[in-house]
Amino acid sequence: AGCDEDGDLVLAPDEPHAFTRFVHAVPDTSGMDWRFIDQIENSPEWFNLTFRQFTPYRATTPGERHLRIFPKSTDINVTQQHLIDTVLTLAEDTYYTIVHVGHSRAGAASPDHILLIEDPIPTISATEVAIRALHLATGQPTVDVFQTATTTGTLPACPTFSGVGLE
């Protein structure tokens, strides 16, 4: 909210939003710049996102959105190239994780690509924690995820998540 020149109250428009975050899961690349290129407003970008890093959720205009991922460089001949060029469809009031997975080097057995993962936000009590396990290593077998109370605790007999495969 704010005031105009006459002192009248002016409210910012209540626009629809999706919410997106980015995850860099490509082990054979350096930093990357992520950018929606179809419009300026409500188009999150992130610069120099490196392997295993992720961003917070940010408001994003829903609908068909054009995303490109560029290699991080100060050389214009490198930065004008893109690793990913894709269109994603985002729904209003929905949270998404956008993950760049695979390998970007030529001839890789598991070429890089984008995973668009919808993130339903669970309803939990104030004394609970929600946990989600994602396996993002392309070309690797499924994994079991175990949960202990401490980092030195003995693993339980049964995994918390069993047979987690690539999303």
Side-chain angles (χ1 to χ4, degrees):
C3 297
D4 64 14
E5 294 172 359
D6 299 326
D8 296 327
L9 182 65
V10 177
L11 296 176
D14 187 16
E15 299 174 348
H17 292 105
F19 301 90
T20 57
R21 65 179 174 177
F22 306 133
V23 176
H24 181 331
V26 178
D28 64 349
T29 61
S30 58
M32 292 186 249
D33 295 340
W34 298 58
R35 178 180 295 274
F36 286 103
I37 64 166
D38 53 350
Q39 68 182 52
I40 295 174
E41 292 180 348
N42 296 316
S43 294
E45 77 286 323
W46 204 270
F47 303 106
N48 200 27
L49 191 66
T50 59
F51 179 55
R52 294 188 181 122
Q53 284 187 322
F54 60 92
T55 68
Y57 288 107
R58 295 174 66 195
T60 309
T61 300
E64 285 195 355
R65 301 303 312 274
H66 193 167
L67 175 71
R68 281 193 183 155
I69 302 175
F70 302 89
K72 179 68 177 174
S73 176
T74 56
D75 181 345
I76 189 65
N77 294 314
V78 174
T79 59
Q80 66 186 354
Q81 300 172 22
H82 51 269
L83 300 169
I84 294 292
D85 184 4
T86 190
V87 175
L88 306 171
T89 302
L90 307 175
E92 183 178 343
D93 295 326
T94 304
Y95 285 76
Y96 296 96
T97 298
I98 303 169
V99 188
H100 186 191
V101 296
H103 295 87
S104 67
R105 303 287 183 227
S110 53
D112 65 331
H113 59 281
I114 289 293
L115 294 177
L116 179 63
I117 303 168
E118 189 173 325
D119 297 333
I121 306 300
T123 302
I124 58 172
S125 74
T127 59
E128 295 176 308
V129 174
I131 298 174
R132 183 178 191 183
L134 297 175
H135 178 6
L136 300 174
T138 58
Q140 299 300 312
T142 61
V143 296
D144 291 338
V145 179
F146 294 86
Q147 174 184 331
T148 62
T150 67
T151 58
T152 58
T154 303
L155 292 179
C158 296
T160 305
F161 300 99
S162 180
V164 178
L166 182 63
E167 186 68 22

